Amino acid sequence: MSRLLINIIRFILFILVQVFVLNKIPPLHQFIIPYLYFLFILWLPFTINRFLLLLAGFLLGLTLDYFTQTPGLHAACCTLIAYLRPFLLNLLLPQDAREQSYAEPSIRSMGWAPYSLYIVLLTAIHHIYLVLIEWLQFGDVWYFLGKITGTTAISLLLIFVTEMLFFRKARFRTNAM
């Protein structure tokens, strides 16, 4: 199956799971709202064009905004992490490792520590920006920090469970073309 078709199927599945499963779960203790949809951006290939990465992030967020009736909220957050993703990958992986290793970020291609840092940082940035835009007031700082912490923790749990349940076949870059 081509990489484009696989990514289109992932896009559709992440949106469907977020809209019809995770968004139907009532918020736990007003802090925890599970988000998994942005994992699509984190799983895109290393070699994706930056413009296409930004466009994919914006379209993913805009699609979720359409279903949740939050104009621009998720589009802004997804575009932000799509923008920051290449810079973070440049910090975590040497250039030759990305060019000669696997086609996309995964535990196998990056190793546990860099991949975990990659996931945790982009998840935290996504949630901080999402809660900040959603909240847009500075009243109770503890509520703000609690919501970020709770939402990030449950999302990280979902991401690592997804990684373990849906093992992605590691493709070397030379085989992925």
Side-chain angles (χ1 to χ4, degrees):
M1 205 180 309
S2 77
R3 300 306 305 160
L4 178 63
L5 184 59
I6 288 172
N7 285 324
I8 289 171
I9 292 170
R10 278 184 190 165
F11 183 96
I12 293 168
L13 286 176
F14 276 121
I15 290 293
L16 291 176
V17 167
Q18 185 66 47
V19 170
F20 295 113
V21 177
L22 297 176
N23 285 354
K24 300 297 182 194
I25 297 172
L28 303 168
H29 192 274
Q30 79 188 4
F31 285 141
I32 301 172
I33 301 170
Y35 292 112
L36 187 64
Y37 71 97
F38 63 94
L39 188 57
F40 169 78
I41 298 167
L42 305 183
W43 279 1
L44 286 172
F46 287 123
T47 57
I48 190 169
N49 182 332
R50 287 185 190 218
F51 175 75
L52 291 177
L53 179 63
L54 287 172
L55 184 64
F58 178 74
L59 289 176
L60 178 72
L62 197 62
T63 305
L64 191 63
D65 284 334
Y66 174 77
F67 285 110
T68 58
Q69 290 140 8
T70 54
L73 180 69
H74 297 283
C77 299
C78 287
T79 305
L80 176 67
I81 63 168
Y83 177 76
L84 294 174
R85 178 184 180 259
F87 299 111
L88 188 59
L89 284 172
N90 283 337
L91 289 174
L92 293 174
L93 295 175
Q95 185 69 25
D96 58 337
R98 269 183 319 219
E99 289 176 356
Q100 297 173 356
S101 71
Y102 298 93
E104 61 189 23
S106 67
I107 294 171
R108 177 174 277 169
S109 68
M110 295 174 70
W112 266 102
Y115 186 73
S116 297
L117 187 60
Y118 167 72
I119 294 292
V120 168
L121 286 176
L122 287 177
T123 301
I125 290 168
H126 177 272
H127 291 350
I128 288 168
Y129 196 55
L130 183 76
V131 172
L132 182 66
I133 292 174
E134 183 181 54
W135 196 36
L136 274 183
Q137 63 181 351
F138 296 100
D140 188 6
V141 175
W142 295 113
Y143 176 80
F144 178 73
L145 292 175
K147 187 161 181 156
I148 290 171
T149 305
T151 302
T152 302
I154 196 70
S155 294
L156 286 172
L157 178 68
L158 283 173
I159 287 170
F160 285 113
V161 166
T162 303
E163 278 286 340
M164 297 301 138
L165 288 178
F166 301 105
F167 181 74
R168 294 177 290 143
K169 181 181 174 186
R171 305 184 94 176
F172 283 100
R173 214 174 144 233
T174 55
N175 297 338
M177 303 288 173

